[in-house]
């Protein structure tokens, strides 16, 4: 699975509508309305690298109200679950 994190600037008066439209796009798994230097963050998850360009340039950027995007491709995912497993390797239960 390939994950891209897309930072999105959009017209201030259309943030909810843009977020809804983005959430309905194929390949977009989540959309977050955020505080900070961008308005929305979209998580794009696809099986093939070529799909990233199709979704970001071909779909996300064309949603009315989207002014600018900045994309970041994830190399590796870390989560609390992954870290707990890594630290538990070779350790017995604490009973």
């Amino acid at each position: 699975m390939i994950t891209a994190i897309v930072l999105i600037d959009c017209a201030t008066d259309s943030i909810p509508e843009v977020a809804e439209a983005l959430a309905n796009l194929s390949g977009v798994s989540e959309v977050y309305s955020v505080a900070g230097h961008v308005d929305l963050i979209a998580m794009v998850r696809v099986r093939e690298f070529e799909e990233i360009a199709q979704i970001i340039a071909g779909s996300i950027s064309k949603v009315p109200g989207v002014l600018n995007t900045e994309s970041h491709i994830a190399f590796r995912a870390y989560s609390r679950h992954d870290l707990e497993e890594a630290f538990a390797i070779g350790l017995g239960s604490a009973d």
Side-chain angles (χ1 to χ4, degrees):
M1 183 68 62
I2 300 165
T3 301
I5 298 96
V6 185
L7 310 179
I8 303 163
D9 290 318
C10 56
T12 306
D13 61 345
S14 63
I15 293 172
E17 293 82 8
V18 171
E20 186 81 25
L22 294 173
N24 288 319
L25 293 175
S26 177
V28 175
S29 60
E30 303 123 80
V31 178
Y32 299 96
S33 177
V34 297
H37 72 280
V38 297
D39 301 306
L40 300 170
I41 296 176
M43 303 301 292
V44 175
R45 299 187 201 304
V46 295
R47 295 194 184 280
E48 302 291 329
F49 186 76
E50 293 75 23
E51 294 175 87
I52 295 288
Q54 294 169 356
I55 294 168
I56 296 171
S59 297
I60 290 176
S61 294
K62 293 182 178 177
V63 169
V66 171
L67 304 176
N68 188 43
T69 64
E70 180 180 328
S71 303
H72 300 268
I73 306 300
F75 294 127
R76 181 174 293 163
Y78 298 90
S79 71
R80 178 187 294 183
H81 183 283
D82 295 336
L83 293 175
E84 287 173 357
E85 283 185 18
F87 286 116
I89 292 174
L91 298 178
S93 93
D95 292 337

